Amino acid sequence: MRKIAFTNQKGGVGKTTTTINTGAGLSNLGYKVLLVDMDPQANLTYSLKLHSNRIDKNIYHVLKSEATIEEIVIKHKSFDIIPSSIDLSGAEMELVNIPAREMLLKDAFMEIESKYDFVLIDCPPNLGVLTLNAFTAANELIIVLQSEYLALHGLSKLMDVIQVVQRRLNKDLKVEGIVCTLYDNRKNLNREVVGHIRDYFGAKVFNTVIRDNVALAEAPSHHKTIFEYDGESNGAHDYQMLAKEIRNGH
Ligand SMILES: Nc1ncnc2c1ncn2[C@@H]1O[C@H](COP(=O)(O)OP(=O)(O)O)[C@@H](O)[C@H]1O
Ligand SMILES: [Mg+2]
C-alpha cells in the first residue's frame, strides 16, 4: 500500500485539486484508492459534496480515537474518502498534550493496512501537527508547486521539516516527486519558473506539468472529478499522465 501526502505549506497551489484528480486517475488505472482530507478547511470534502449533516464524524474523531476509519469512510464512484470538517481546526491545540501526537494518523492507518493500493493525503497549508501526522503516516511525499514567481520561496523551510520527520518520526519517508501546477504555456514567466524548478530538483520533477485549465476550477462546483466533469479536457489528460508517472515510480 503506497501512502502519498501532497504537500506545500502555501495555500492555493493546487494540492487539493491534485489529490482528487490523481486519485481519480489512479482509479481509472484499476487501483483501489483512499483519499484522506487532513485540512480543516475541508476543501476536498466539499469539492466532492461529502459535507452534510449526514456526516457527523470525520477525521478529527479518528485522530481523537472517537471513531474508526471504517465508521467514517465514504464511498465515491472512483475512490473511498475520509472526510474532514472545521472540527479539525481545534485539533492543533487539543492534541498538544497528547503523547506521540504526530503518530495518530499512522496508528489509525493500521486499521486499513493493505486494504487499498493507494492512500492519498491532502495536507493543510501549514507545517503544524496535522501536516506532521500526514508526513509520519505517509511513505512518500509529493510537493505541489505553482508555476509562478516565488514558487520556491519557503521551500527550504518545508525541506527542513521533512528532514526532521525523516530523522525522528519516519525514517522511510521519501520525496517521491515535485509536480508543477497551474502552468500557462503562454506566460514566459511560467516557463522560466518551471525551468528553475527543474534545474533545482532535477529528475525529482515529474515530466507531467499540470496546465492551467478552467475545467479543473469548475469541476468542484459540480462536485465532480475532472474525468466526470470533462474527460476530454487538458486537466483530465494531465492528471491521467501524472497518475501513470506515479504508478510507474519515479
Ligand atoms: N490546473 C489548474 N487550472 C485551473 N485552476 C486550478 C488548477 N489547479 C487548481 N485550480 C484552482 O485553484 C484554486 C486553488 O487550488 P487548490 O487545489 O484548492 O489548492 P490548495 O489545496 O493548494 O489550496 C482552486 O480554486 C482550484 O479550483
Ligand atoms: Mg487544499
Side-chain angles (χ1 to χ4, degrees), residues 15-235:
K15 290 183 292 295
T16 300
T17 306
T18 301
T19 308
I20 292 173
N21 294 306
T22 302
L26 287 166
S27 166
N28 291 342
L29 295 173
Y31 294 107
K32 236 182 153 252
V33 178
L34 174 70
L35 306 185
V36 183
D37 191 352
M38 277 295 272
D39 186 353
Q41 290 174 55
N43 287 345
L44 183 145
T45 305
Y46 286 116
S47 295
L48 298 165
K49 198 171 196 287
L50 296 167
H51 223 276
S52 67
N53 294 334
R54 192 164 59 83
I55 311 169
D56 50 355
K57 289 196 171 161
N58 52 67
I59 185 68
Y60 169 79
H61 300 93
V62 171
L63 296 176
K64 291 198 75 187
S65 303
E66 292 170 6
T68 63
I69 289 180
E70 201 190 346
E71 282 169 341
I72 63 155
V73 80
I74 293 172
K75 306 265 176 207
H76 178 277
K77 268 173 275 172
S78 304
F79 29 56
D80 288 357
I81 300 148
I82 301 185
S84 173
S85 95
I86 191 73
D87 293 346
L88 197 55
S89 59
E92 302 263 348
M93 297 283 283
E94 286 178 38
L95 299 179
V96 162
N97 294 318
I98 296 185
R101 60 184 177 276
E102 298 89 359
M103 315 292 276
L104 302 171
L105 186 64
K106 182 188 171 84
D107 288 351
F109 277 176
M110 289 201 300
E111 186 192 330
I112 52 161
E113 200 52 68
S114 74
K115 252 187 100 172
Y116 297 94
D117 300 307
F118 288 91
V119 178
L120 307 185
I121 310 169
D122 186 21
C123 290
N126 60 52
L127 295 170
V129 73
L130 296 171
T131 293
L132 291 178
N133 267 275
F135 287 11
T136 305
N139 38 40
E140 301 172 35
L141 296 181
I142 291 181
I143 300 172
V144 181
L145 293 181
Q146 187 174 350
S147 315
E148 270 297 336
Y149 182 57
L150 298 180
L152 295 171
H153 190 83
L155 216 59
S156 60
K157 178 75 192 155
L158 175 60
M159 292 304 181
D160 288 348
V161 170
I162 293 169
Q163 276 181 14
V164 169
V165 171
Q166 285 167 330
R167 227 172 20 240
R168 303 215 185 121
L169 296 164
N170 184 2
K171 64 175 174 21
D172 299 326
L173 184 67
K174 65 168 185 169
V175 177
E176 171 67 7
I178 319 272
V179 60
C180 301
T181 63
L182 286 148
Y183 179 75
D184 185 343
N185 197 28
R186 290 162 304 184
K187 293 188 186 158
N188 286 335
L189 181 63
N190 278 201
R191 281 205 299 275
E192 262 174 44
V193 168
V194 171
H196 280 145
I197 293 170
R198 289 198 193 282
D199 289 346
Y200 193 81
F201 289 104
K204 279 278 173 206
V205 185
F206 288 104
N207 293 327
T208 306
V209 170
I210 308 299
R211 286 168 285 184
D212 193 320
N213 177 216
V214 68
L216 285 168
E218 290 167 354
S221 64
H222 298 265
H223 309 297
K224 288 181 172 167
T225 70
I226 192 61
F227 302 99
E228 294 164 332
Y229 181 65
D230 184 354
E232 302 298 315
S233 61
N234 286 344

